[in-house]
């Protein structure tokens, strides 16, 4: 059974498309963020900084463009952090018992859920990206079609690594906890600081030193770095601050996410192997 | 352990504890190929714990078990492939349809898709759910869900089907129907291990019954042998002096066992009770003990249970 994870993957995807309200809100939420918060903030920043914000010779992007990458990152974080919720449901009231008593390897269970999570994250991020561009986000400016294509692939790879890591964290939580309330509480507690201690809404350069240092180990920062590098470029400025990403820096971010996701995957696998559903 | 081809399940010295709680204590038994074997016991007896160890959901802590020819300790994957399971609690996804439920099950067992489809059809016919193929689970009644779970347990044509309290919470009519499905499944060659706390269920279905209480097997045998071990008939007598009557009764030929309390005497008769009863009354009257009430009945599983555990089945 080479593709043993496939039934798990297909079931998850079917559920994703079956619950229309959930599906709609998972797209609408980030879009509303972008539309309201993004547009409002962008308007304000642009007014405050109108005169001296432009650095000559550097690609200048609007705050909306800058922030769109952050909203994509945050959305992927939120979605996957809560992604284990259905496993908790399956564990307490559903078919995890059936799965655990079957010959399906535990590894395939995790791979199935994770690959569905990656697919969902891709769909979500693509939709925000397209909607952002409609709203006036200037992604892929000055890139050749080939470069754009490669950038999109890179973008998806970053999203995949990050989604896997946080989905696995969420699965581990779901397997160890018994109450949905507890699960939700912990997830919220984890996501809030991750969101604000990152470069999602502002460049790291503007953060107080301690916050800046914490943000550097925050995986969300590395995801958003990757997204900005792929969608905007290696050198640009926004709201009066200059951003330069070297390719080693971006490669480091990617490896950071890949290693992080592998570690989380292994921890999740160990947790699944120990869990008793009876 | 030497392998016996006619045995589908062999359990030796199985024990299982949750920390300090000793749920299963040193039980041994075996199930013959083609048989229906029941664990009969009250709530908390350790039935689910035992079954969950046997189906690999709980680790095998102590004991040796061979399921369908595979060692439960070392060949867990093969064991999983050889068995079908119906859990005590409903284990279905409310938001899947009936056919999706069965196909998903086939998929995680690596069943060929076409085979999966034909079996889905066959099994839904067997459990009379063929008109519900595309209904969602949440639209099914409790009895339908149970039947679907039985069908699911049979998708992979298991050699041995485990059922944990298969008819719990079902109305009498549906219970009867479910028994019929189980019998026809068994007739087609699937051995069955089930747990129940219903006497009538164990009696009706089983080739062999083990009575389990406090994690131990108290006695086992065929339903008839268990009932016969209590004698032909049970006679309840109320007299003016139960204690004195007990001694006298024991001297009457055909009386197997006498248990007296202040309110009544329970007598197990080794011969036909209808003929024994007049003699009993005659003898007691001869000893100037007046008989105030008598009742006679054939022993049923309830009596068996009370006899062996010394108490009524807690429900
Ligand atoms: N997960 C668990 N952790 C701790 N103790 C448990 C656990 N599951 C069962 N027990 C205990 O083990 C004993 C046997 O329980 P078990 O569920 O096996 O009984 P049962 O015969 O299936 O009962 P029922 O008819 O109510 O289903 C009980 O004392 C129960 O409290
Ligand atoms: Mg039970």
């Amino acid at each position: 059974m080479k593709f043993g994870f496939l039934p798990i993957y297909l079931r998850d995807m079917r559920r994703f498309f079956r619950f229309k309200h959930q599906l709609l809100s998972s797209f609408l939420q980030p879009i509303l963020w972008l539309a309201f918060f993004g547009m409002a903030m962008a308007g304000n920043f642009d007014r405050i900084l109108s005169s001296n914000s432009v650095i000559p010779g550097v690609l200048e992007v609007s705050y909306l463009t800058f922030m769109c990458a952050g909203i994509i990152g945050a959305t992927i974080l939120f979605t996957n952090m809560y992604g284990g919720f259905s496993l908790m449901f399956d564990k307490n009231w559903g078919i995890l018992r059936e799965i655990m008593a079957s010959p399906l390897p535990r590894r395939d269970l995790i791979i199935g859920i994770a690959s569905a999570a990656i697919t969902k994250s891709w769909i979500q991020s693509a939709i925000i990206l397209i909607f952002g561009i409609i709203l006036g986000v200037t992604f892929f400016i000055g890139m050749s079609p080939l470069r754009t294509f490669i950038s999109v692939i890179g973008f998806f790879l970053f999203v995949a690594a990050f989604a896997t890591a946080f989905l696995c964290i969420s699965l581990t939580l779901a397997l160890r906890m018994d109450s949905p309330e507890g699960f939700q509480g912990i997830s919220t507690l984890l996501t809030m600081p991750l969101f604000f201690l990152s470069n999602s809404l502002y460049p790291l350069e503007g953060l107080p030193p301690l916050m800046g240092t914490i943000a550097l180990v925050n995986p969300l920062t590395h995801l958003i770095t990757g997204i900005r590098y792929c969608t905007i470029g290696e050198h640009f400025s926004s709201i009066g601050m200059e951003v330069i990403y070297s390719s080693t820096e971006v490669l480091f971010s990617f490896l950071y996410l890949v290693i992080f996701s592998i570690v989380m995957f292994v921890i999740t696998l160990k947790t699944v192997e120990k869990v008793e559903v009876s | 352990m030497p392998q016996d081809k006619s045995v589908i399940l062999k359990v030796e010295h199985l024990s299982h504890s949750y920390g300090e709680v000793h749920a299963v204590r040193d039980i041994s038994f075996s199930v013959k190929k083609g048989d229906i074997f029941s664990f009969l016991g009250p709530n908390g007896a350790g039935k689910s714990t035992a079954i969950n160890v046997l189906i690999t959901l709980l680790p095998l802590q102590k004991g040796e078990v061979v399921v369908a020819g595979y060692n439960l300790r070392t060949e867990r994957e093969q064991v999983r492939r050889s068995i079908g399971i119906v859990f005590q609690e409903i284990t279905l996804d409310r938001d899947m349809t009936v056919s999706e439920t069965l196909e998903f099950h086939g998929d995680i067992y690596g069943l060929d898709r076409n085979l999966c489809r034909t079996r889905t059809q066959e099994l839904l016919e067997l459990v009379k759910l063929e008109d519900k193929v595309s209904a969602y689970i949440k639209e099914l009644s409790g009895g339908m869900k149970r039947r679907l779970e039985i069908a699911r347990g049979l998708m992979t044509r298991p050699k041995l089907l485990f059922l944990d309290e298969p008819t719990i919470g079902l109305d009498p009519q549906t219970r009867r129907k479910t028994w019929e499905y189980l019998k026809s499944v068994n007739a087609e060659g699937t051995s069955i291990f089930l747990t129940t706390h219903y006497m009538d269920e164990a009696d009706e279905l089983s080739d062999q019954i083990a009575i389990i209480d406090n994690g131990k097997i108290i006695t086992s045998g065929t339903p008839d042998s268990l009932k016969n071990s209590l004698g032909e008939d049970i006679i309840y007598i109320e007299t003016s002096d139960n204690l004195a009557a007990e001694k006298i009764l024991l001297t009457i030929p055909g009386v197997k066992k006498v248990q007296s309390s202040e309110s009544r005497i329970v007598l197990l008769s080794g011969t036909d009770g209808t003929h024994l009863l007049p003699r009993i009354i005659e003898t007691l009257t001869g000893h100037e003990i007046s008989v105030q009430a008598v009742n006679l009945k054939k022993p049923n599983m309830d009596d068996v249970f009370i006899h062996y555990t010394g108490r009524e089945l807690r429900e």
Side-chain angles (χ1 to χ4, degrees):
Chain A
M1 258 210 305
K2 259 262 172 66
F3 296 100
F5 69 92
L6 216 56
I8 305 288
Y9 173 82
L10 292 175
R11 169 173 175 254
D12 259 30
M13 291 313 295
R14 191 148 48 196
R15 290 173 68 91
F16 180 63
F17 289 113
R18 180 160 291 165
F19 304 121
K20 298 281 182 279
H21 301 282
Q22 228 164 300
L23 184 67
L24 198 69
S25 75
S26 78
F27 296 144
L28 229 49
Q29 227 165 9
I31 285 175
L32 290 179
W33 257 85
L34 201 62
F36 297 138
F37 185 77
M39 297 291 257
M41 286 298 276
N44 274 307
F45 274 128
D46 292 345
R47 214 186 55 211
I48 299 166
L49 304 165
S50 56
S51 54
N52 55 357
S53 69
V54 178
I55 303 164
V58 174
L59 174 68
E60 165 73 15
V61 297
S62 67
Y63 180 68
L64 190 69
T65 305
F66 179 82
M67 180 201 154
C68 185
I71 292 293
I72 293 175
T75 304
I76 305 306
L77 170 70
F78 285 118
T79 314
N80 288 291
M81 202 64 214
Y82 290 104
F85 195 72
S86 65
L87 184 71
M88 162 170 270
F89 207 82
D90 282 343
K91 180 182 76 165
N92 291 350
W93 302 283
I95 62 175
L96 189 61
R97 216 184 279 131
E98 176 197 3
I99 296 171
M100 295 298 264
S102 81
L104 186 89
R106 310 302 192 235
R107 186 195 44 204
D108 286 347
L109 172 65
I110 307 297
I111 293 177
I113 304 176
S115 47
I118 292 173
T119 312
K120 293 179 221 170
S121 299
W122 281 346
I123 297 173
Q124 257 190 328
S125 50
I127 286 184
I128 307 169
L129 194 132
I130 291 166
F131 188 78
I133 290 174
I134 294 171
L135 276 187
V137 167
T138 54
F139 277 163
F140 311 118
I141 292 298
M143 293 186 194
S144 68
L146 181 66
R147 174 74 211 277
T148 306
F149 179 72
I150 294 170
S151 295
V152 170
I153 302 279
F155 169 83
F156 279 146
L157 287 179
F158 265 94
V159 169
F162 183 87
T164 306
F166 278 87
L167 178 82
C168 283
I169 293 176
S170 180
L171 292 181
T172 306
L173 273 180
L175 289 169
R176 288 177 190 235
M177 309 205 54
D178 273 329
S179 81
E181 292 80 10
F183 172 82
Q184 247 161 354
I186 297 224
S187 304
T188 313
L189 209 65
L190 283 174
T191 40
M192 283 293 283
L194 283 171
F195 179 47
F196 288 109
L197 289 174
S198 77
N199 54 357
S200 55
L201 299 177
Y202 22 72
L204 287 187
E205 287 72 15
L207 288 181
L210 180 64
M211 283 176 78
T213 315
I214 298 175
L216 278 182
V217 293
N218 182 352
L220 184 60
T221 300
H222 294 282
L223 170 67
I224 294 170
T225 297
I227 295 178
R228 292 215 173 103
Y229 178 80
C230 292
T231 56
I232 306 175
E234 64 267 3
H235 189 188
F236 60 90
S237 79
S238 185
I239 51 173
M241 290 205 223
E242 195 175 357
V243 179
I244 305 174
Y245 295 129
S246 69
S247 37
T248 35
E249 200 181 336
V250 173
L251 194 65
F252 172 81
S253 286
F254 185 63
L255 289 179
Y256 186 88
L257 290 180
V258 168
I259 291 169
F260 184 57
S261 69
I262 291 173
V263 170
M264 286 308 152
F265 182 86
V266 171
I267 291 176
T268 309
L269 195 56
K270 291 269 176 278
T271 311
V272 172
E273 274 163 3
K274 266 189 301 188
V275 82
E276 278 174 15
V277 275
S278 57
Chain B
M1 239 188 289
Q3 294 225 352
D4 183 347
K5 280 266 186 291
S6 68
V7 168
I8 191 81
L9 174 63
K10 188 164 181 62
V11 175
E12 285 182 350
H13 305 295
L14 178 72
S15 296
H16 195 94
S17 317
Y18 303 99
E20 292 295 294
V21 182
H22 302 291
V24 173
R25 309 162 187 231
D26 192 25
I27 58 175
S28 303
F29 63 93
S30 61
V31 177
K32 276 214 309 258
K33 205 169 269 183
D35 267 7
I36 299 185
F37 184 101
S38 301
F39 258 9
L40 172 64
N43 290 137
K47 305 182 296 295
S48 295
T49 304
I51 219 169
N52 285 336
V53 172
L54 299 180
I55 63 174
T56 76
L57 269 190
L58 287 174
L60 176 58
Q61 293 175 347
K62 219 165 149 207
E64 291 306 316
V65 179
V66 178
V67 184
Y70 297 108
N71 186 316
L72 183 65
R73 196 178 292 285
T74 55
E75 300 169 299
R76 292 175 83 73
E77 156 129 25
Q78 287 94 324
V79 168
R80 287 182 180 141
R81 287 192 182 286
S82 328
I83 60 174
I85 307 163
V86 178
F87 300 97
Q88 179 168 349
E89 290 90 16
I90 298 285
T91 304
L92 294 168
D93 183 342
R94 290 170 43 80
D95 300 302
M96 275 161 92
T97 68
V98 167
S99 65
E100 282 169 4
T101 300
L102 295 181
E103 264 163 40
F104 177 77
H105 189 79
D107 283 350
I108 59 175
Y109 279 77
L111 220 64
D112 174 77
R113 258 302 165 98
N114 284 326
L115 195 60
C116 211
R117 232 158 272 149
T118 46
R119 285 204 190 151
T120 299
Q121 204 132 41
E122 277 170 31
L123 287 168
L124 289 181
E125 267 164 46
L126 174 74
V127 297
K128 304 268 172 352
L129 283 177
E130 59 268 52
D131 53 333
K132 296 281 176 191
V133 196
S134 35
Y136 282 99
I137 304 301
K138 57 184 162 207
E139 299 161 1
L140 302 184
S141 73
M144 292 174 180
K145 285 184 193 155
R146 213 51 179 156
R147 270 142 58 196
L148 175 61
E149 290 193 311
I150 293 173
R152 181 177 69 185
L154 293 169
M155 274 298 277
T156 53
R157 291 268 162 90
K159 299 196 185 84
L160 175 59
L161 179 64
F162 287 91
L163 302 113
D164 197 356
E165 313 244 5
T167 63
I168 198 157
L170 300 184
D171 65 49
Q173 228 175 334
T174 318
R175 287 183 70 208
R176 254 186 199 282
K177 286 256 175 63
T178 310
W179 292 347
E180 274 158 37
Y181 303 135
L182 290 179
K183 280 186 196 164
S184 60
V185 164
N186 178 247
E188 284 178 25
T190 307
S191 310
I192 293 180
F193 176 102
L194 64 90
T195 77
T196 180
H197 64 257
Y198 297 120
M199 307 290 168
D200 54 344
E201 182 160 289
D203 201 3
E204 168 88 24
L205 287 176
S206 321
D207 295 301
Q208 292 283 326
I209 296 177
I211 294 183
I212 175 168
D213 192 20
N214 286 322
K216 285 195 248 173
I217 291 179
I218 295 168
T219 184
S220 59
T222 65
D224 283 340
S225 77
L226 287 175
K227 282 182 278 187
N228 288 340
S229 69
L230 264 58
E232 288 277 312
D233 290 297
I234 300 182
I235 302 171
Y236 298 94
I237 315 167
E238 285 170 30
T239 68
S240 53
D241 184 352
N242 289 349
L243 228 59
E246 180 176 348
K247 297 207 183 69
I248 298 156
L249 288 171
L250 280 168
T251 64
I252 303 173
V255 173
K256 225 180 122 180
K257 197 174 168 192
V258 183
Q259 258 180 340
S260 71
S261 67
E262 221 152 89
S263 60
R264 66 174 188 181
I265 299 170
V266 182
L267 183 146
L268 304 183
S269 125
T271 61
D272 183 0
T274 47
H275 288 108
L276 188 62
L277 196 51
R279 207 146 11 111
I280 288 172
I281 298 173
E282 214 172 285
T283 314
L284 287 178
T285 319
H287 283 82
E288 294 186 345
I289 296 170
S290 69
V291 177
Q292 288 150 353
V294 289
N295 190 8
L296 177 146
K297 63 172 197 151
K298 291 272 168 205
N300 58 25
M301 284 311 288
D302 294 80
D303 302 310
V304 173
F305 190 84
I306 294 165
H307 181 73
Y308 283 105
T309 64
R311 59 197 162 83
E312 309 250 346
L313 194 77
R314 296 172 254 138
E315 288 244 15

